Amino acid sequence: MKDLRIGFDVGGTFTDGVVVRGRQVIAKTKSITTEDVTTGIINALDKLLAQPGVEASRIAMVSLGTTHTTNAIIERRGLDRVAIFRLGAPATTAIPPLTGWPEDLKEAIGGSGNVHVIRGGSEYDGRDIVPLDEMAIKKACVAMRGKVSAIAITGVFSPMKADHEERAREIVLNELGDGVHVTLSHRIASLSLLERENSTILNASVISCMRRAVDAVKKAMKQKGIDAALFIVQNDGSVMSADYAVDYPIFTVASGPAASVRGAVFLSGIVDGAVVDVGGTSTDVAYIVDGFPRESSITVNIGGVKTNIRCPDLMSIALGGGTIVKTRGETVYGLGPESVGYNLVRLGKSYGGPVLTVHDVAVAVGRLSQRLDIFESDFVTHPEKVQALSPRTVEQAYSLVKSTLETAIDQMKTARGDIPAILIGGGALVVPTELDGVSEVVIPDHFEVGGAVGTTIAEIGAYAEGVVDLEREDRNNAIEAVTEKAKDNAAMAGAVRETVEVVDVEEIPFTYMPGKREKIRVRVKGRATV
Amino acid sequence: MGALDTVKAWGARKYQLIDKQAIKEITLGASILATGGGGDPEIGLLWSYKVLDEGKEMVMVDPVDVPDDVLVASPACLGAALVLTEKPPSGDVLNVALERLQRYLGQRLEATIPIECGGVNSPVAYAAAAELGVPVIDVDGMNRAFPELQMTSWVALGVHASPVASADDRGNVTIIDTGEDDRLAETICRRAAMAYGGISWIASYPMRGLQVKETSILNSQSIAWEVGKAVYRARREHLDPVEEVLRALKAARGVEGYRVFRGKIVDINREFGGESTKGFTLGRVTMEGIDDFRGSFAELDFQNEWLILRVDGKIRCLPPDLIAILDSETGEPIRTDVMRYGYRGTIVVLPAHERMRLPAGIERFFGPRCFGYDVDYVPVEELVNR
């Protein structure tokens, strides 16, 4: 019987892995993340398979949260050479593609020699700006044959009307064959041409990178005798099938924090409130609405490039277990942003070291007295070593930790009133559990591997967008039409269409324009097909 | 002849070459003075960068150095901000508008004048001038951002928006000549923009150098520049950006700005679209006080830009005086189109320029009654001290 799900969360320091049966976590591990990422995953997999009751033949599903592609972009490593088509001339030429990109990243994807601004694109009301210049696309293809492996196509107003992008893809595939991978912008992001185009180009640049990672994990699964579906976590915390993820790697850039949020929801049962993920050097505060992370409404910068892909709305603060407490005499005047990071065991006061960290303060106030078995290193604390600390310093430091956290949580709220907060992550035990503005603090079981648990939930997420003129069309009909499109997208990402339901409907008015036009955006989720 | 040659031919002494850093600072300063409106300046800024990368000269000249008889006009984008972010302009669309206005007038334009301080139209006046090879004059027509074409000191002092050349990227041009009826010019311009696909690129307010000097908000570009520099300085040296902005305004414009509130947005109520609102986003934002303002509430009404500020029910600022909400940490202005729940900021109010405070302008074009409020205009310095 296949009744197990395995989830991995590949972080910068640790690769966490869990085995889940139903709602129960039956095995967990924290392994060191390796440079090639896959080795770390295989190590974690080995450890999990060695635990009682975890048999390869019982595994129905493997899921993975990873920022592998984000790192490739940030480090400009192993990127595809990308040909860029913009369908928008004679408009849009004042700001050509790749404007404002860092030079080294431009270079890493093949430079601006592969940029083509073509006549085409749509107006907001669906008219062509001008007919698509098909000949120009064909000519450009001849020039780039053999020089690029991925193509990014972005048409003006394509999120409303995608026909020019679709036609351009047909032409490109005809000219260059199936060997190149084509990314269309309307499948990547929403309105705002330059940011959507950037997102599309970045997506195209990490196709091979994602494909290698997925192939490696699939191969490892096969070697271990695991015959199961593989899923990858998306930025909103839902998952997509690995084969779909190969086409849309940009949707995984924020999968780490997103998985933590979903894990916190799963483990605590709380679906509205704040999730506080405390690490060694920083803490991410997210806000959950109906069990999913709230999305950021501002542009997201990836590797120095402005994008408009949907990512969780996070507030990152420099507060973690290893964060250094700054003192002048007995007076505390600041927290961080410096952290001792890996060196906590060597440098922290509570281990006999010279530096006072948030971890040591937690030990001194009696908050932290237990050992976390799951860590491979010795995180046993020595309370006797912090007895020499000035009570005044300890008290001030702990109250600064408290107020820093309270302000961060408060800034994430959308309305007045107290909300519950879920504490997860390796550093969850170092922060106070009494917080102003918080109705209750919950630290669920398995909090230290919350991200890995979050990957196993297997809800497929998707969205769609449209524009409606409320003076001409019925609002409900318009929302219904966009919802159907979103459900189709969810099915393509691996969901059972009948189980797909609406997560939220967003309406954004067009400004400085007569009429009652607005953009409608519908997010949906559904059960995975396994 | 390039922009630099032009100002030299005028015998100008007070002019500045604008580089990337300068246009970035001017744009940020103008966005702060834009009172929450004007749209995202990013498109105009990137366009300016590209023009500078191509080696074109960007020159700003003091109005005192502009000969009385030269002909100038204002290039701008008019239409839906959201369409602009999806459909950036072609490199020559404003040239087309300026060319066609020249042809209609039968005379050459020798400089551009920014229509407003704020949003996309600040850097656009520079990019267009550099493309055309003419200087930008250190003035604007509003001293802030306002939603409609006729809401300028130029109109208040008897200079008219018309004739206007309105272009789209396909090369279509509409010449709008409504004589002295500036409101009609606004109406037709907006309809033309809709017919084009949501936005238009206009060349309007053709006037002589003498008229520029007599009716503009003088040196407003330099003032915006000082404000922008102050914010970047505050970020670099970890100073209070709000304090630095107020100090820069005092030094550059000789006005006292007031820090009237600090709080976070706890409610946003939007009304939008439809004929009743003329296509503008209307609404009200409520901020709850923090720190020294705990227990107080501020309400701001907006129509694309912030219009009226009430603190604990008392009016503290009315149009055309300026309201800005600045992020307390970064000094970044919070725009009406991107604000959201939980935003924290400091509200700053400023007196409008004296040319925006003339009774005729306030009564007919941009005072409280022009936005549907049944209250008389009272200067902000009196309201704050009441």
Side-chain angles (χ1 to χ4, degrees):
Chain A
M1 191 182 70
K2 288 190 179 241
D3 58 348
L4 303 181
R5 306 194 301 281
I6 290 194
F8 297 105
D9 178 18
V10 186
T13 317
F14 290 108
T15 294
D16 298 350
V18 296
V19 179
V20 174
R21 188 174 57 224
R23 292 198 60 85
Q24 214 186 343
V25 176
I26 62 167
K28 55 185 171 181
T29 174
K30 250 178 163 16
S31 300
I32 301 290
T33 297
T34 54
E35 186 143 347
D36 66 339
V37 177
T38 8
T39 309
I41 295 171
I42 293 165
N43 291 343
L45 186 56
D46 281 336
K47 276 189 221 157
L48 292 173
L49 287 171
Q51 296 189 33
V54 185
E55 287 141 35
S57 60
R58 285 173 60 186
I59 298 164
M61 176 195 136
V62 176
S63 51
L64 185 62
T66 171
T67 45
H68 193 53
T69 52
T70 325
N71 296 339
I73 294 167
I74 291 169
E75 294 161 19
R76 285 85 164 108
R77 200 160 34 85
L79 300 179
D80 287 294
R81 296 177 83 78
V82 183
I84 298 154
F85 284 101
R86 181 194 286 174
L87 319 175
T92 79
T93 55
I95 306 162
L98 302 179
T99 300
W101 279 49
E103 285 303 322
D104 57 348
L105 183 54
K106 235 193 265 187
E107 221 41 60
I109 63 162
S112 46
N114 295 319
V115 171
H116 305 276
V117 181
I118 304 286
R119 291 173 66 86
S122 301
E123 301 287 3
Y124 75 91
D125 56 6
R127 283 178 290 161
D128 284 356
I129 295 177
V130 292
L132 182 66
D133 187 349
E134 303 196 353
M135 273 315 293
I137 298 174
K138 283 180 193 160
K139 255 172 76 182
C141 285
V142 172
M144 72 180 66
R145 197 165 283 153
K147 290 183 192 152
V148 297
S149 51
I151 315 263
I153 302 176
T154 308
V156 172
F157 275 111
S158 66
M160 273 58 174
K161 194 155 175 274
D163 57 337
H164 284 191
E165 283 190 2
E166 303 279 9
R167 177 66 189 134
R169 176 175 58 186
E170 264 175 45
I171 298 168
V172 168
L173 291 179
N174 267 337
E175 295 295 315
L176 299 177
D178 293 340
V180 295
H181 188 286
V182 179
T183 304
L184 300 184
S185 84
H186 74 275
R187 301 217 160 268
I188 297 294
S190 154
L191 290 180
S192 198
L193 183 84
L194 302 178
E195 285 89 358
R196 183 173 74 253
E197 180 177 72
N198 287 346
S199 311
T200 306
I201 297 168
L202 287 180
N203 187 76
S205 76
V206 286
I207 296 281
S208 302
C209 172
M210 189 60 152
R211 186 175 284 143
R212 286 193 294 270
V214 165
D215 287 349
V217 175
K218 277 187 174 172
K219 197 173 146 206
M221 285 166 58
K222 205 167 174 188
Q223 279 170 2
K224 310 284 173 203
I226 299 170
D227 177 23
L230 178 61
F231 289 91
I232 311 287
V233 179
Q234 313 192 61
N235 300 329
D236 70 350
S238 62
V239 298
M240 54 184 164
S241 73
D243 295 330
Y244 190 76
V246 167
D247 290 335
Y248 300 104
I250 203 75
F251 293 163
T252 68
V253 289
S255 66
S260 296
V261 168
R262 296 290 285 144
V265 169
F266 179 86
L267 293 170
S268 69
I270 294 169
V271 296
D272 289 287
V275 174
V276 182
D277 185 358
V278 189
T281 56
S282 66
T283 292
D284 288 337
V285 181
Y287 196 88
I288 41 171
V289 182
D290 290 337
F292 279 83
R294 185 178 67 205
E295 287 179 344
S296 173
S297 58
I298 53 171
T299 57
V300 178
N301 190 303
I302 304 170
V305 175
K306 269 192 187 172
T307 73
N308 63 343
I309 52 152
R310 315 300 288 205
C311 278
D313 188 6
L314 288 182
M315 172 158 291
S316 277
I317 52 173
L319 171 67
T323 299
I324 295 172
V325 179
K326 293 179 172 170
T327 53
R328 201 176 282 124
E330 291 191 353
T331 311
V332 173
Y333 70 92
L335 289 177
E338 303 84 0
S339 163
V340 296
Y342 287 110
N343 296 317
L344 179 63
V345 181
R346 198 162 55 78
L347 298 175
K349 284 260 192 213
S350 58
Y351 297 95
V355 182
L356 182 64
T357 68
V358 170
H359 177 95
D360 307 317
V361 171
V363 174
V365 297
R367 171 88 178 84
L368 196 62
S369 51
Q370 74 196 87
R371 182 194 141 106
L372 285 180
D373 290 326
I374 199 162
F375 289 104
E376 285 166 346
S377 49
D378 176 20
F379 274 108
V380 180
T381 56
H382 306 276
E384 70 283 357
K385 295 206 167 118
V386 286
Q387 272 164 13
L389 287 176
S390 142
R392 192 172 147 211
T393 307
V394 169
E395 190 201 315
Q396 279 185 4
Y398 205 54
S399 96
L400 190 54
V401 170
K402 180 173 181 286
S403 62
T404 304
L405 206 52
E406 283 167 353
T407 305
I409 293 170
D410 189 50
Q411 295 211 37
M412 294 301 287
K413 283 184 193 172
T414 53
R416 272 168 278 184
D418 292 357
I419 55 168
I422 313 162
L423 288 182
I424 57 162
L429 296 182
V430 305
V431 298
T433 50
E434 291 283 314
L435 298 168
D436 285 350
V438 172
S439 55
E440 57 170 333
V441 171
V442 179
I443 306 181
D445 289 345
H446 313 298
F447 66 89
E448 75 284 7
V449 288
V453 173
T455 68
T456 65
I457 299 166
E459 269 177 325
I460 307 278
Y463 77 92
E465 286 182 341
V467 166
V468 58
D469 183 347
L470 296 177
E471 283 180 349
R472 296 212 178 84
E473 294 161 74
D474 178 68
R475 179 169 160 272
N476 290 332
N477 289 345
I479 291 174
E480 187 53 38
V482 178
T483 304
E484 286 304 309
K485 216 162 88 184
K487 287 182 174 177
D488 292 344
N489 290 344
M492 264 196 290
V496 181
R497 204 178 187 290
E498 294 69 47
T499 68
V500 179
E501 52 180 327
V502 173
V503 178
D504 73 45
V505 176
E506 189 183 19
E507 294 169 82
I508 302 156
F510 279 30
T511 55
Y512 295 86
M513 193 188 250
K516 241 184 145 164
R517 283 188 188 75
E518 65 171 23
K519 185 171 84 174
I520 295 172
R521 182 165 185 279
V522 179
R523 275 207 300 163
V524 297
K525 62 170 184 181
R527 233 179 39 233
T529 42
V530 286
Chain B
M1 208 164 72
L4 204 53
D5 298 326
T6 301
V7 294
K8 283 181 179 160
W10 292 346
R13 268 181 260 152
K14 294 169 91 176
Y15 63 87
Q16 302 255 17
L17 276 172
I18 304 296
D19 59 10
K20 280 190 182 177
Q21 180 66 22
I23 193 68
K24 198 169 97 180
E25 290 163 351
I26 292 168
T27 302
L28 176 59
S31 302
I32 289 171
L33 300 173
T35 65
D40 186 354
E42 186 80 7
I43 297 275
L45 201 53
L46 288 172
W47 184 4
S48 297
Y49 288 168
K50 183 213 158 212
V51 168
L52 287 167
D53 280 340
E54 289 168 351
K56 290 174 181 150
E57 284 165 1
M58 210 173 258
V59 180
M60 181 178 80
V61 61
D62 194 284
V64 297
D65 279 345
V66 177
D68 286 353
D69 60 341
V70 299
L71 186 69
V72 307
S74 182
C77 177
L78 183 148
L82 193 131
V83 173
L84 179 62
T85 65
E86 181 62 23
K87 197 176 66 170
S90 63
D92 64 352
V93 66
L94 268 170
N95 272 6
V96 169
L98 290 162
E99 290 287 344
R100 292 296 292 271
L101 184 62
Q102 297 187 51
R103 206 191 297 173
Y104 186 75
L105 297 166
Q107 231 186 323
R108 229 172 67 78
L109 294 165
E110 293 186 63
T112 69
I113 42 176
I115 193 162
E116 60 190 339
C117 259
V120 69
N121 279 334
S122 274
V124 150
Y126 290 81
E131 296 268 16
L132 195 67
V134 300
V136 179
I137 304 176
D138 184 2
V139 299
D140 82 304
M142 295 181 181
N143 174 48
R144 52 171 290 161
F146 264 134
E148 295 182 10
L149 186 61
Q150 78 282 2
M151 296 175 168
T152 61
S153 62
W154 298 325
V155 164
L157 285 158
V159 177
H160 300 290
S162 146
V164 183
S166 161
D168 77 0
D169 295 299
R170 286 164 290 232
N172 300 306
V173 178
T174 311
I175 300 288
I176 297 140
D177 193 345
T178 55
E180 300 194 346
D181 193 339
D182 298 293
R183 273 203 192 81
L184 185 58
E186 150 71 26
T187 307
I188 299 173
C189 277
R190 210 159 288 275
R191 298 259 160 98
M194 292 300 298
Y196 289 154
I199 50 173
S200 61
W201 297 86
I202 61 168
S204 67
Y205 287 103
M207 65 180 89
R208 299 284 166 192
L210 182 65
Q211 289 171 302
V212 172
K213 290 178 240 183
E214 287 176 348
T215 65
S216 298
I217 310 302
L218 302 175
N219 301 110
S220 61
Q221 300 299 312
S222 310
I223 291 163
W225 195 354
E226 288 305 317
V227 170
K229 277 194 236 176
V231 173
Y232 281 110
R233 184 173 58 241
R235 287 182 195 169
R236 226 173 23 245
E237 296 170 15
H238 303 289
L239 306 171
D240 174 0
V242 178
E243 194 58 46
E244 294 305 303
V245 165
L246 294 179
R247 195 173 297 166
L249 280 163
K250 175 89 181 164
R253 233 195 95 193
V255 293
E256 209 66 63
Y258 307 89
R259 201 196 274 254
V260 287
F261 197 78
R262 189 174 147 98
K264 64 169 182 172
I265 294 177
V266 292
D267 188 44
I268 300 174
N269 196 344
R270 283 183 208 270
E271 266 296 317
F272 73 92
E275 280 310 303
S276 60
T277 61
K278 294 192 290 183
F280 297 116
T281 301
L282 306 179
R284 174 173 293 182
V285 168
T286 307
M287 290 180 83
E288 184 184 318
I290 53 177
D291 303 336
D292 297 347
F293 296 93
R294 201 170 284 273
S296 270
F297 287 88
E299 281 176 343
L300 298 107
D301 288 8
F302 60 93
Q303 177 173 326
N304 295 343
E305 284 80 29
W306 306 119
L307 281 181
I308 289 193
L309 168 68
R310 294 183 196 82
V311 177
D312 295 330
K314 283 193 198 120
I315 292 179
R316 284 284 176 263
C317 192
L318 289 165
D321 291 332
L322 282 65
I323 303 169
I325 308 180
L326 302 181
D327 183 296
S328 310
E329 307 289 317
T330 64
E332 200 65 38
I334 297 175
R335 295 207 315 270
T336 60
D337 55 339
V338 296
M339 69 185 163
R340 52 169 193 169
Y341 291 96
Y343 245 131
R344 285 167 182 240
T346 301
I347 304 179
V348 167
V349 292
L350 286 173
H353 191 272
E354 52 271 29
R355 284 186 172 166
M356 291 299 284
R357 282 182 160 189
L358 300 169
I362 285 177
E363 272 159 38
R364 294 177 49 212
F365 299 108
F366 40 70
R369 293 183 200 280
C370 306
F371 295 94
Y373 294 96
D374 191 20
V375 282
D376 290 327
Y377 169 74
V378 180
V380 65
E381 49 274 35
E382 280 178 43
L383 289 173
V384 167
N385 293 319
R386 255 181 199 175

